[in-house]
Amino acid sequence: MLNLRNSPAVLCGHRIDFVPGLAFNSQRSTVLGFPMDRNFHIPSSSSSLTPKQHTPVLPCRASLEVHDTSHRKDDLPTHGLSETVVGVLGGGQLGRMLCQAASQMAIKVIVLDPMENCPASALSHYHMVGSYDDSAMVEEFAKRCGVLTVEIEHVDVATMEKLEQLGVDCQPKASTIRIIQDKYLQKVHFSRHSIPLPDFLQIDNLESAKRAGDLFGYPLMIKSRRLAYDGRGNAVAKSEAELSSAVNALGGYDRGLYVEKWAPFVKELAVIVARGRDDSILCYPVVETIHRENICHIVKAPANVPWKIRKLATDVACKAVSSLEGAGVFAVELFVTEGGQILLNEVAPRPHNSGHHTIESCFTSQFEQHLRAVVGLPLGGTSMKTPSALMYNILGEDEGEPGFLLANQLIGRALRIPGATIHWYDKPEMRKQRKMGHISIVGLSMGIVEARLNLMLREEILDGQTAVTPRVGIVMGSDSDLPVMKDAARILNEFGVPNEVRIVSAHRTPEMMFSYALSARERGIQVIIAGAGGAAHLPGMVAALTPLPVIGVPVRASALDGLDSLLSIVQMPRGVPVATVAINNATNAGLLAVRMLGIGDADLQARMAQYLEDTRDDVLVKAETLEKGGWEAYLNS
Amino acid sequence: MLNLRNSPAVLCGHRIDFVPGLAFNSQRSTVLGFPMDRNFHIPSSSSSLTPKQHTPVLPCRASLEVHDTSHRKDDLPTHGLSETVVGVLGGGQLGRMLCQAASQMAIKVIVLDPMENCPASALSHYHMVGSYDDSAMVEEFAKRCGVLTVEIEHVDVATMEKLEQLGVDCQPKASTIRIIQDKYLQKVHFSRHSIPLPDFLQIDNLESAKRAGDLFGYPLMIKSRRLAYDGRGNAVAKSEAELSSAVNALGGYDRGLYVEKWAPFVKELAVIVARGRDDSILCYPVVETIHRENICHIVKAPANVPWKIRKLATDVACKAVSSLEGAGVFAVELFVTEGGQILLNEVAPRPHNSGHHTIESCFTSQFEQHLRAVVGLPLGGTSMKTPSALMYNILGEDEGEPGFLLANQLIGRALRIPGATIHWYDKPEMRKQRKMGHISIVGLSMGIVEARLNLMLREEILDGQTAVTPRVGIVMGSDSDLPVMKDAARILNEFGVPNEVRIVSAHRTPEMMFSYALSARERGIQVIIAGAGGAAHLPGMVAALTPLPVIGVPVRASALDGLDSLLSIVQMPRGVPVATVAINNATNAGLLAVRMLGIGDADLQARMAQYLEDTRDDVLVKAETLEKGGWEAYLNS
């Protein structure tokens, strides 16, 4: 384990007044020397260099032994969370966000990336300018880290394997990168582990392609095995006639191609899975990913699919990651078919676009989680700390300045959306479809969050304007119930809870009642108050159609004094509860709704406590008046 | 407005292969040259220096004109959120966290701090090593930023005023810093603006001190006017005899002292207030601060005080900040007295320890908010995105390595707490009582969050062990109700909702019922299910004592078939609602509780939707069996 006793400024190598050269005291692992810059250049063949000139002077012991974070080599306590230097191959936005997570924990991250001004450069502990696909470079880089990881899978895996044999600690393991960077090998691997995925077949000439077409039918998905991402490396042949053109579009058979049977999916899901060095595994909530021109565009967390599907997706994701070696977070992309079948699309051995929302919405972000995993800290909680989240990629809409202008206009609107957080990757060049940043929106329900996204995407957004989504739906069987039900709306307005009032009769407009109950949750409604008189079926019917809590208000009809309504609302069969209040007491229905919303809203709960205190005070005042003035005066006043 | 067209690596000045010296193309504002290090040294008198040698080459135009972020000097679109370079006087943990917030938005922050390895150094766009109390240094620094702000109020305010006259954009204004850095002036200012605060009086000799003592009585709080923080600069005289010793402890009258009447507070509160450049004001939720040896130790958000107090505290805080000039976030520290009076303690013109929780718990962190405010972006939402949060300072428990060991042991436990996020400031030296980092814990309720804090502070914490706090309380009038009420517990267990079962009779053990209902919310209970038979008063009584939603289960007693219980539970007066379910139907009570919790728990809600689907399927199966086999077979089977 590489320890760095930290004199940060020195480690960060920003002293101007020092002599380059290594002075490494193994007992305290102190770094006494360091080069003057952070992005230092090493030509592909670093052999020609003397450390004095170009090599950053960090202790190299680390890379020559197997790293084991469980017990330390020296008896000195760790300063902070961990002193392992994390080396990341790649310095794009994923590397950048790894650096951001690391800075909070004061974990040092160094990156290897050929682009001098790559997104991670400015935030990394230091940046080695060079290619992660260059053997000499990667070896040189590995000497400087306690653990080596990746933010991109298209790296020089042969070198990683060689380094592992030398005892360099790679997380995840080179074997995992090798499997994943070749999509065909990946399919073979997962099918061997009986993970459900679309049928596939390797092709190396027109005959084999035709055979595949006969076998799988058309449209046929043709993919190149390597260096494929964001839809690049995919081509579709709608018929046998299109095979050759599709193959040429991918660079010909020599490029290394395979075909996949067309997957008739209805939704795309993704699961971020974290694995610790102790092989403990934790899954993040299943999300839905929405692509635009093959590039991830919007992510919804959690995915709006049946719980059964979410469990199934989680199981497949967990199984897929368990079949791979090494620690870190993995992204598992999945298809859901019409019939509710889950098929694995592909796996990324690193943080992923589908997990960006976790920065704002989960106990532990995917980036902190990846760092915890690779340095050997316990994994953090993966639950959401806010009920709903949505991620929107800022993709280049145009080249150069016009593109920057459009992005800045979007950002200007996002800055006015409550719950929206803007991430800008600081890429020097704007290009069409390039990921320039992303925006996360979190909120109390998916309905609220989606309403805010729509507001953000509107061209015109006025200051102070926010999307107000009703949180409580007040429904009644007929307008004759309104004089009673209005009291619920009045209370909700008093507490500042947005609400809507509708007439949907279970008997006269059953289809309206159906669609209202079924859509309420997705529209952002969190509680439904249903009032009805006589044979009052509305509350029960609504409760049977939605997982939301439903409050029933028995409305006194002409006959039976409302007892009929009360009993027909409260006496529900096992399985479908209705929260019933007193006859005609819509006030209490409103107050009950506020108490329910208070469960997830500390302010509302505090205001309800205050309301109770105030009503208590009112009674005390009356009691005092009676006591002082006597009952005659009281009655006469 | 200073624009930086960004070639980040160049701006970050980490190229080793370049010639120092400025080449600034005003049309594109490109910086072509830069010094080789980030912490560069400027001796106090910078006059002797030539820019070529020591001055960082950033365009200086900015500092010589009034900055106005509303309209740009050139017609080029902003790249990202803002290109204003933010200069921060001070590079401690507050500066560090400002840099972290800035990196997400790709806003460039530069810091002036005398400590070469100060916490903000490694994360800043660059760090000028020098004193923020040194006129020449501050002027030198100001040339490099588009807006100048502070993370500490003990800066050279005279220079700031001079710079403002030169057109340098200081946020907040120098006038504000001048008022706040002298605690006596601060008191005078706020009392002039009729903000409630403890009586105070300036003292410059023993006589005036004695006069103050006679006037305010003892114990008497003596404070030094300047450079006082974390309790330093405060001394208490319990009697007139102790006056001189207390004064000497503070360095004598010449130091500049004043006295405050002892404030008999029951709690300390704080409010972070944000003000934009357009003078728009937003307040964060009121928090409770708990001090240890005068140093902030624990912060609870939101504060557990009546809503009335929270509103009052917010009003006072808002009024206090409105009386000051300039944009940014301000921390307002307050006392609550026995009688519920709010007194202002002091104000900080910057992010504050009491607002650290906002990083994890609010839509916009106080650090992002401060940056939005000073560069002139719209303010972000200040609501909490998670119901409860708690901040625990990691204070040095010992000097040097033993101190690091204790901190690391605490961190080791925190890493196992779900919802806990650890911030380590990377300070090179460990000292007793020094703020080395902090830990935030967020969760569904203060009860849950506090239970997790206690678990974290326990010496022994076993792997996988987490604090399980019951979320639903099931209470009944007598054990005879248990056979019915058990069904509620069974359902909750099925959905994995922690719950507790208690017997508290409204008639036989009223005091138990009282204390249970009153303490439930603080203990983390979110829903109460109360079952009772006969003249069933328990649910109503409990509902009258807590703001939590209460579900009532009428239990069928010997007589009247349970109708008596049903009516006595459901027919509550206006103001106190009980969510009543069918007679003996504790199953529905459990399901209703799950639906209520589902409001703030997307997973529970999805599982409830699944439950409804599954029960639907069961019925369909029965229907099919009946249809296929006929009713005789069905009845005989």
Side-chain angles (χ1 to χ4, degrees):
Chain A
M1 168 59 49
L2 162 56
N3 317 328
L4 294 178
R5 278 289 163 279
N6 27 19
S7 152
V10 176
L11 275 183
C12 292
H14 305 314
R15 298 181 53 134
I16 196 160
D17 54 356
F18 97 119
V19 188
L22 170 63
F24 171 41
N25 165 339
S26 68
Q27 200 276 322
R28 296 282 284 104
S29 319
T30 316
V31 178
L32 301 176
F34 211 77
M36 273 176 273
D37 72 332
R38 294 204 317 176
N39 349 12
F40 52 90
H41 305 245
I42 301 191
S44 297
S45 124
S46 62
S47 55
S48 67
L49 305 168
T50 73
K52 267 191 112 46
Q53 269 174 288
H54 288 93
T55 318
V57 272
L58 278 171
C60 304
R61 183 176 51 143
S63 63
L64 305 173
E65 62 188 38
V66 177
H67 301 284
D68 176 356
T69 51
S70 59
H71 36 72
R72 303 281 305 278
K73 295 287 165 294
D74 58 42
D75 56 358
L76 284 167
T78 303
H79 291 192
L81 285 81
S82 170
E83 293 172 41
T84 306
V85 172
V86 179
V88 180
L89 299 180
Q93 61 263 25
L94 298 175
R96 180 182 175 92
M97 288 184 267
L98 277 171
C99 290
Q100 286 164 344
S103 81
Q104 200 169 66
M105 301 185 279
I107 288 177
K108 295 183 173 51
V109 172
I110 65 179
V111 301
L112 174 63
D113 191 279
M115 251 181 72
E116 189 175 66
N117 50 16
C118 64
S121 181
L123 309 183
S124 60
H125 177 54
Y126 72 73
H127 168 204
M128 183 189 277
V129 179
S131 167
Y132 37 76
D133 202 15
D134 172 321
S135 176
M137 193 64 66
V138 173
E139 277 185 57
E140 204 49 47
F141 182 71
K143 293 194 187 131
R144 286 141 188 85
C145 31
V147 60
L148 186 66
T149 186
V150 301
E151 62 114 53
I152 180 167
E153 47 275 36
H154 308 299
V155 297
D156 173 15
V157 72
T159 305
M160 279 183 79
E161 280 162 344
K162 182 174 140 205
L163 290 170
E164 275 181 351
Q165 280 151 19
L166 285 171
V168 173
D169 184 13
C170 300
Q171 301 294 343
K173 295 292 168 208
S175 60
T176 297
I177 308 294
R178 180 172 286 288
I179 290 165
I180 283 175
Q181 67 180 195
D182 180 329
K183 283 190 172 181
Y184 176 71
L185 280 189
Q186 197 186 135
K187 302 279 173 191
V188 172
H189 170 86
F190 287 127
S191 57
R192 278 217 193 96
H193 287 78
S194 52
I195 311 266
L197 33 78
D199 297 335
F200 63 99
L201 207 58
Q202 186 168 10
I203 56 169
D204 17 51
N205 51 42
L206 187 55
E207 293 74 70
S208 52
K210 283 183 177 168
R211 241 179 286 114
D214 300 340
L215 195 60
F216 298 154
Y218 292 88
L220 188 63
M221 175 64 82
I222 308 178
K223 296 185 172 182
S224 51
R225 295 173 58 158
R226 315 180 134 276
L227 299 167
Y229 63 100
D230 285 351
R232 296 191 189 77
N234 293 0
V236 179
K238 294 200 193 63
S239 68
E240 189 171 293
E242 288 184 22
L243 277 175
S244 298
S245 57
V247 165
N248 294 337
L250 295 176
Y253 294 100
D254 309 344
R255 177 82 191 283
L257 304 178
Y258 73 102
V259 295
E260 261 179 48
K261 186 173 180 181
W262 191 266
F265 63 86
V266 289
K267 270 185 180 178
E268 287 185 88
L269 305 179
V271 184
I272 300 288
V273 182
R275 180 159 70 197
R277 295 179 76 106
D278 56 0
D279 286 329
S280 57
I281 282 197
L282 286 180
C283 294
Y284 282 86
V286 180
V287 301
E288 179 182 354
T289 57
I290 296 162
H291 291 72
R292 194 178 69 174
E293 294 170 37
N294 291 312
I295 297 179
C296 177
H297 183 44
I298 291 174
V299 173
K300 295 179 178 183
N304 181 20
V305 292
W307 181 255
K308 219 183 267 172
I309 300 288
R310 280 165 68 175
K311 260 202 90 352
L312 190 58
T314 309
D315 295 345
V316 171
C318 191
K319 199 171 163 196
V321 171
S322 309
S323 74
L324 301 167
E325 293 183 296
V329 301
F330 300 74
V332 182
E333 296 186 86
L334 304 158
F335 296 126
V336 193
T337 64
E338 192 70 61
Q341 194 195 3
I342 295 287
L343 298 176
L344 182 132
N345 175 13
E346 59 182 79
V347 173
R350 49 165 174 84
H352 188 262
N353 203 160
S354 63
H356 290 356
H357 71 92
T358 59
I359 297 172
E360 286 79 21
S361 71
C362 292
F363 281 159
T364 312
S365 82
Q366 67 169 346
F367 300 101
E368 174 177 343
Q369 195 72 285
H370 188 71
L371 293 166
R372 282 182 176 227
V374 299
V375 304
L377 297 172
L379 295 181
T382 53
S383 312
M384 292 182 76
K385 60 186 177 186
T386 175
S388 299
L390 197 147
M391 192 284 316
Y392 181 90
N393 270 346
I394 305 177
L395 301 172
E397 304 270 353
D398 200 344
E399 309 284 318
E401 296 303 336
F404 277 117
L405 179 61
L406 289 167
N408 183 252
Q409 287 166 346
L410 171 65
I411 288 168
R413 296 191 298 271
L415 282 164
R416 290 175 163 73
I417 303 291
T421 307
I422 301 149
H423 297 252
W424 185 253
Y425 305 150
D426 214 9
K427 295 182 180 179
E429 303 280 314
M430 165 68 74
R431 284 200 232 99
K432 256 203 156 94
Q433 290 299 74
R434 191 178 197 187
K435 291 174 180 173
M436 301 301 294
H438 76 267
I439 298 165
S440 300
I441 307 178
V442 300
L444 289 167
S445 73
M446 189 49 76
I448 290 173
V449 170
E450 283 178 331
R452 288 181 174 165
L453 173 70
N454 296 333
L455 183 66
M456 180 180 89
L457 297 180
R458 283 225 300 271
E459 275 323 303
E460 268 318 300
I461 165 169
L462 308 162
D463 238 335
Q465 175 188 15
T466 59
V468 176
T469 325
R471 296 178 64 184
V472 177
I474 303 172
V475 295
M476 59 204 76
S478 96
D479 60 351
S480 62
D481 302 328
L482 192 52
V484 169
M485 297 306 291
K486 70 174 189 318
D487 296 342
R490 188 173 285 155
I491 283 287
L492 291 169
N493 296 339
E494 208 177 291
F495 279 87
V497 176
N499 59 85
E500 63 181 20
V501 181
R502 299 273 181 278
I503 295 174
V504 289
S505 167
H507 307 124
R508 285 165 296 248
T509 58
E511 57 295 318
M512 260 179 74
M513 183 272 290
F514 254 76
S515 65
Y516 185 89
L518 289 174
S519 67
R521 176 184 170 208
E522 279 182 38
R523 285 177 41 239
I525 298 288
Q526 296 174 286
V527 178
I528 295 176
I529 299 175
H537 296 152
L538 181 61
M541 292 296 295
V542 170
L545 294 166
T546 178
L548 300 175
V550 175
I551 301 170
V553 182
V555 178
R556 182 187 292 110
S558 48
L560 297 173
D561 232 12
L563 189 62
D564 49 348
S565 328
L566 170 59
L567 295 179
S568 49
I569 292 174
V570 76
Q571 287 301 106
M572 290 294 292
R574 269 179 179 50
V576 186
V578 169
T580 311
V581 295
I583 296 163
N584 275 16
N585 201 333
T587 302
N588 275 4
L591 292 168
L592 184 55
V594 172
R595 286 185 182 223
M596 291 179 182
L597 294 172
I599 291 173
D601 185 331
D603 280 6
L604 264 186
Q605 195 171 70
R607 293 178 63 182
M608 178 51 70
Q610 188 64 56
Y611 176 90
L612 286 172
E613 208 172 285
D614 296 347
T615 45
R616 208 169 291 130
D617 296 346
D618 298 348
V619 176
L620 293 176
V621 170
K622 291 180 181 174
E624 199 181 356
T625 327
L626 175 60
E627 193 179 335
K628 285 207 178 116
W631 63 269
E632 294 90 341
Y634 194 94
L635 288 177
N636 298 334
S637 67
Chain B
M1 165 60 48
L2 162 56
N3 317 330
L4 295 179
R5 276 287 163 284
N6 28 17
S7 151
V10 176
L11 275 182
C12 291
H14 305 314
R15 297 181 53 132
I16 197 161
D17 54 355
F18 98 119
V19 188
L22 169 63
F24 171 41
N25 164 342
S26 68
Q27 199 274 321
R28 296 284 286 103
S29 318
T30 316
V31 178
L32 302 175
F34 212 78
M36 273 175 278
D37 71 333
R38 295 203 318 173
N39 347 13
F40 52 89
H41 305 244
I42 302 191
S44 298
S45 121
S46 62
S47 54
S48 67
L49 303 170
T50 74
K52 266 193 113 45
Q53 268 174 290
H54 288 93
T55 318
V57 271
L58 278 171
C60 303
R61 184 175 52 139
S63 63
L64 305 172
E65 63 189 35
V66 179
H67 300 285
D68 178 352
T69 51
S70 58
H71 36 72
R72 305 280 305 278
K73 294 285 164 295
D74 58 41
D75 56 359
L76 283 168
T78 303
H79 291 191
L81 285 80
S82 169
E83 292 172 44
T84 306
V85 172
V86 179
V88 181
L89 299 180
Q93 61 264 27
L94 297 175
R96 180 183 175 91
M97 288 184 269
L98 276 171
C99 290
Q100 286 164 344
S103 81
Q104 199 169 67
M105 301 185 280
I107 288 177
K108 295 183 173 50
V109 171
I110 64 179
V111 301
L112 174 63
D113 192 280
M115 252 181 72
E116 187 177 69
N117 49 16
C118 64
S121 181
L123 309 184
S124 60
H125 178 55
Y126 73 74
H127 167 205
M128 184 189 277
V129 179
S131 167
Y132 37 75
D133 201 16
D134 173 320
S135 176
M137 194 64 67
V138 173
E139 277 185 56
E140 204 50 47
F141 182 71
K143 293 195 187 129
R144 287 145 188 83
C145 30
V147 59
L148 186 66
T149 187
V150 301
E151 62 115 53
I152 180 167
E153 48 274 35
H154 307 300
V155 296
D156 174 14
V157 72
T159 305
M160 278 183 80
E161 280 161 343
K162 185 174 136 205
L163 290 170
E164 274 181 350
Q165 281 151 19
L166 287 171
V168 173
D169 184 13
C170 300
Q171 301 294 344
K173 296 290 166 209
S175 60
T176 297
I177 309 295
R178 181 174 286 287
I179 291 165
I180 284 175
Q181 68 180 196
D182 180 328
K183 282 190 173 181
Y184 177 71
L185 281 189
Q186 195 185 140
K187 302 278 174 194
V188 172
H189 170 85
F190 287 126
S191 56
R192 281 218 191 94
H193 287 79
S194 52
I195 310 272
L197 35 75
D199 298 335
F200 63 99
L201 207 59
Q202 187 170 9
I203 56 170
D204 19 50
N205 52 41
L206 188 55
E207 294 73 69
S208 52
K210 281 181 175 166
R211 240 180 286 116
D214 300 340
L215 194 61
F216 298 153
Y218 293 88
L220 188 63
M221 176 64 83
I222 308 179
K223 295 185 171 182
S224 51
R225 294 173 58 157
R226 317 181 132 276
L227 298 170
Y229 63 98
D230 284 352
R232 295 191 190 78
N234 293 359
V236 178
K238 293 200 193 59
S239 69
E240 190 171 293
E242 289 184 20
L243 278 175
S244 300
S245 57
V247 166
N248 294 336
L250 295 175
Y253 294 100
D254 308 344
R255 178 83 191 282
L257 304 176
Y258 73 102
V259 297
E260 262 179 46
K261 185 173 181 182
W262 191 264
F265 63 85
V266 287
K267 271 185 178 174
E268 287 185 271
L269 305 178
V271 184
I272 300 289
V273 182
R275 180 160 68 194
R277 295 179 76 107
D278 56 0
D279 286 328
S280 57
I281 283 197
L282 286 180
C283 294
Y284 280 86
V286 180
V287 301
E288 179 181 355
T289 57
I290 297 160
H291 291 72
R292 194 177 70 176
E293 294 171 37
N294 291 312
I295 297 180
C296 177
H297 183 44
I298 291 174
V299 173
K300 294 180 181 183
N304 181 19
V305 292
W307 180 256
K308 219 182 266 170
I309 300 287
R310 280 164 68 176
K311 259 201 89 359
L312 189 58
T314 308
D315 295 345
V316 171
C318 190
K319 198 171 165 197
V321 171
S322 309
S323 74
L324 301 167
E325 293 184 295
V329 300
F330 300 75
V332 182
E333 296 187 84
L334 305 157
F335 297 126
V336 194
T337 65
E338 194 70 63
Q341 196 195 2
I342 295 287
L343 297 175
L344 181 132
N345 176 13
E346 62 183 76
V347 174
R350 50 167 174 81
H352 188 262
N353 204 161
S354 63
H356 290 356
H357 72 92
T358 59
I359 297 172
E360 285 79 22
S361 69
C362 292
F363 280 158
T364 312
S365 83
Q366 67 168 345
F367 299 101
E368 175 177 343
Q369 195 74 285
H370 188 71
L371 293 166
R372 282 181 176 229
V374 300
V375 304
L377 296 172
L379 296 180
T382 54
S383 312
M384 293 182 74
K385 61 186 177 187
T386 173
S388 299
L390 197 146
M391 192 284 316
Y392 181 90
N393 271 345
I394 306 176
L395 301 172
E397 305 271 352
D398 200 344
E399 308 285 318
E401 296 302 336
F404 277 116
L405 179 61
L406 289 166
N408 183 252
Q409 287 165 346
L410 171 66
I411 288 168
R413 295 192 298 271
L415 282 165
R416 291 177 162 70
I417 303 292
T421 306
I422 300 148
H423 297 252
W424 185 252
Y425 304 149
D426 214 7
K427 296 182 179 178
E429 303 281 311
M430 165 67 75
R431 287 201 228 98
K432 256 203 155 89
Q433 289 299 76
R434 188 177 200 186
K435 290 174 180 173
M436 301 301 294
H438 76 268
I439 297 164
S440 299
I441 307 179
V442 299
L444 289 166
S445 74
M446 189 50 76
I448 290 174
V449 170
E450 282 178 331
R452 288 182 173 164
L453 174 70
N454 296 332
L455 183 66
M456 180 180 90
L457 297 179
R458 283 226 301 271
E459 277 322 304
E460 268 319 300
I461 165 168
L462 307 161
D463 235 336
Q465 176 189 17
T466 60
V468 176
T469 324
R471 297 178 65 183
V472 177
I474 302 171
V475 295
M476 60 204 76
S478 97
D479 59 354
S480 62
D481 303 328
L482 193 52
V484 169
M485 297 306 291
K486 70 173 190 323
D487 295 342
R490 189 172 286 157
I491 283 287
L492 291 169
N493 296 339
E494 208 176 292
F495 279 87
V497 176
N499 58 86
E500 62 182 19
V501 180
R502 299 272 182 280
I503 295 174
V504 289
S505 166
H507 307 125
R508 286 165 295 248
T509 59
E511 58 294 318
M512 257 178 76
M513 184 271 293
F514 255 75
S515 64
Y516 184 89
L518 290 174
S519 67
R521 177 184 167 206
E522 280 182 36
R523 285 176 42 240
I525 297 289
Q526 297 174 285
V527 178
I528 295 177
I529 299 175
H537 296 151
L538 181 61
M541 293 295 295
V542 171
L545 295 165
T546 178
L548 300 175
V550 176
I551 300 169
V553 182
V555 177
R556 182 187 293 111
S558 48
L560 296 173
D561 232 13
L563 189 61
D564 50 347
S565 328
L566 170 59
L567 295 176
S568 50
I569 292 174
V570 75
Q571 286 301 108
M572 292 293 292
R574 266 179 182 50
V576 186
V578 170
T580 311
V581 295
I583 296 164
N584 275 17
N585 199 335
T587 302
N588 275 4
L591 292 168
L592 184 56
V594 173
R595 286 184 182 225
M596 291 179 181
L597 293 172
I599 291 172
D601 186 331
D603 281 5
L604 267 186
Q605 195 171 70
R607 292 177 62 182
M608 178 52 70
Q610 188 65 55
Y611 177 90
L612 286 172
E613 206 172 290
D614 297 346
T615 44
R616 208 168 294 132
D617 297 345
D618 298 346
V619 176
L620 292 177
V621 169
K622 290 180 182 173
E624 199 183 355
T625 326
L626 175 61
E627 192 181 336
K628 286 208 178 117
W631 62 269
E632 294 91 341
Y634 194 96
L635 288 178
N636 298 338
S637 69

